Amino acid sequence: MLKTLRNLLIISSLFVFSNAAFAKGDNHGDDAFSPKDMILHHIGDAYDWHFFDYHKSDGTVAHVSLPLPVILITDGHLDIFLSSEFHHGEQQVIRGDRVYRLNHGHIEEANGKKVIDLSFTKNVASMFIACIILIVIFTSVAKAYQKRPGQAPSGLQAFIEPLILFVRDDVIIPNIGEKKYKTYLPYLMTLFFFIWVNNLLGLIPTGANASGNIAFTLTLAAFTAIITNVSGNKDYWKHIFAMPGVPKLMLIIMIPVELIGILTKPFALMIRLFANITAGHIVILCLVSFIFIFKNAILGLPVGFVVVAITFLELFVAALQAYIFTLLSALFIGLAIEEHEHHEAHH
């Protein structure tokens, strides 16, 4: 198993190298290679799923990609078309009096009209793939339990069961408690596996960097914030607006601080996941860029070993960040629903 994984990572690194040489951007040859354009292209979202480029016999560059649906609302008009109509940003798309064009990876209307963009982008497609993977995995595991009740797990079931028990027994229950953990178990369990699978998909060459998208992490952090504050009991809100033992004049300062704390907790969740995943991708792509900056194929050998080593590290980081996000979410929820014992002083 380890040998197979090692070989896959080495092959994946070679794909990264070849793809980097023909990365999208303002490049029109090796002399114009721009590490910045290449890195931003790989870690950013896109309206198509780009796989690789190659040079035709006439010297032009051909792009191999999967077009995705573009969904736009402009002046009350709904326009739906495939991203291939842009021809990789080289052409405009005309729909009635509306003219759409790609500008640095974003769609804008040439006449200055406001555009509401609801497009099915690469990151969205990757999230749907992650959902399908999770549905297939957990459906098959559930069926295995039904077919073999009371028996020792085997196959995929044997791999998934320890993970589920770990998240439940070492992450959720210690932070939320035995009495109420079942209410939040579905959300937190889904959160862990959804983030983990998306992190892993981002490590596949040409894969989408969904977890490195600030909108993705913002949405997950917002879910945690909403659940935390909706679930908060009277002790939680009393601690914010009327902290026990604090003089009333101090509440003028403490209440704004506590209210800011409601926002800083999900903000920390959002930034931590986004920054760690994005940093790993940038480090790998920066190392690959050295090969094309110095135009030295021999440099590919040491760089390849370093990239493979960092990729192994990123496999660990993918699971670690899913664990940390779930752990902190469980902690915030646990603090919000914690029952405090109030002892009255006896004289």
Side-chain angles (χ1 to χ4, degrees):
M1 181 66 181
L2 290 176
K3 289 183 178 179
T4 303
L5 182 60
R6 179 196 63 191
N7 293 334
L8 286 174
L9 288 172
I10 293 173
I11 294 172
S12 298
S13 299
L14 294 177
F15 275 118
V16 173
F17 296 162
S18 61
N19 199 37
F22 307 106
K24 282 183 181 179
D26 298 327
N27 310 329
H28 303 284
D30 291 339
D31 292 337
F33 175 75
S34 170
K36 175 185 173 183
D37 292 337
M38 185 271 286
I39 292 172
L40 291 179
H41 163 65
H42 279 78
I43 66 173
D45 202 0
Y47 291 98
D48 61 352
W49 198 306
H50 179 258
F51 298 111
F52 60 89
D53 300 339
Y54 67 92
H55 289 279
K56 296 181 179 179
S57 57
D58 58 359
T60 59
V61 177
H63 307 284
V64 179
S65 60
L66 175 67
L68 298 171
V70 175
I71 306 171
L72 306 171
I73 299 177
T74 307
D75 283 346
H77 297 279
L78 176 64
D79 295 318
I80 302 175
F81 53 91
L82 289 178
S83 59
S84 56
E85 293 194 33
F86 284 115
H87 292 277
H88 305 281
E90 298 173 359
Q91 295 185 13
Q92 297 179 336
V93 177
I94 301 175
R95 291 291 186 273
D97 61 345
R98 301 170 299 282
V99 180
Y100 301 109
R101 63 189 177 193
L102 275 177
N103 183 16
H104 294 90
H106 298 282
I107 295 177
E108 62 180 21
E109 209 280 326
N111 299 318
K113 297 179 181 178
K114 184 179 179 180
V115 178
I116 300 175
D117 192 349
L118 304 175
S119 301
F120 196 89
T121 63
K122 183 178 178 180
N123 282 342
V124 176
S126 181
M127 285 188 281
F128 271 94
I129 292 173
C131 290
I132 293 171
I133 291 173
L134 290 175
I135 291 172
V136 170
I137 289 175
F138 285 99
T139 300
S140 62
V141 170
K143 289 180 178 178
Y145 279 110
Q146 293 175 348
K147 292 179 180 178
R148 306 170 67 251
Q151 298 183 34
S154 62
L156 182 61
Q157 183 186 6
F159 175 74
I160 294 296
E161 183 176 305
L163 294 174
I164 294 175
L165 294 178
F166 168 75
V167 175
R168 186 193 69 181
D169 298 339
D170 294 339
V171 177
I172 299 175
I173 292 179
N175 289 288
I176 296 181
E178 290 276 359
K179 294 182 179 179
K180 300 182 179 180
Y181 83 91
K182 290 183 179 179
T183 303
Y184 307 97
L185 180 65
Y187 168 69
L188 294 170
M189 197 69 72
T190 303
L191 191 65
F192 173 80
F193 285 101
F194 184 65
I195 294 175
W196 189 24
V197 170
N198 274 287
N199 290 348
L200 292 176
L201 290 176
L203 293 175
I204 299 174
T206 74
N209 183 32
S211 300
N213 186 298
I214 197 71
F216 176 88
T217 59
L218 170 63
T219 304
L220 295 181
F223 282 142
T224 294
I226 292 171
I227 292 173
T228 299
N229 290 288
V230 169
S231 302
N233 56 26
K234 61 180 182 181
D235 289 327
Y236 172 74
W237 291 108
K238 185 177 181 181
H239 181 84
I240 294 174
F241 291 104
M243 190 179 298
V246 175
K248 291 185 178 180
L249 288 177
M250 285 297 294
L251 290 176
I252 299 175
I253 300 175
M254 294 305 299
I255 290 175
V257 170
E258 292 293 332
L259 290 175
I260 292 172
I262 293 177
L263 299 176
T264 56
K265 289 176 181 177
F267 181 79
L269 281 177
M270 174 187 72
I271 294 297
R272 180 181 285 105
L273 178 60
F274 164 75
N276 279 282
I277 298 302
T278 302
H281 285 73
I282 290 176
V283 168
I284 292 175
L285 294 170
C286 283
L287 289 170
V288 173
S289 298
F290 285 134
I291 301 172
F292 304 100
I293 292 173
F294 294 103
K295 301 178 182 178
N296 190 338
I298 298 177
L299 189 62
L301 188 60
V303 169
F305 281 117
V306 175
V307 168
V308 170
I310 294 178
T311 304
F312 271 109
L313 178 62
E314 285 298 298
L315 289 174
F316 169 73
V317 171
L320 178 64
Q321 291 305 315
Y323 164 76
I324 292 175
F325 199 103
T326 308
L327 175 67
L328 292 177
S329 296
L331 176 63
F332 296 155
I333 294 172
L335 291 174
I337 65 175
E338 183 182 5
E339 297 289 345
H340 298 275
E341 295 182 3
H342 301 284
H343 300 282
E344 295 183 359
H346 297 281
H347 300 283

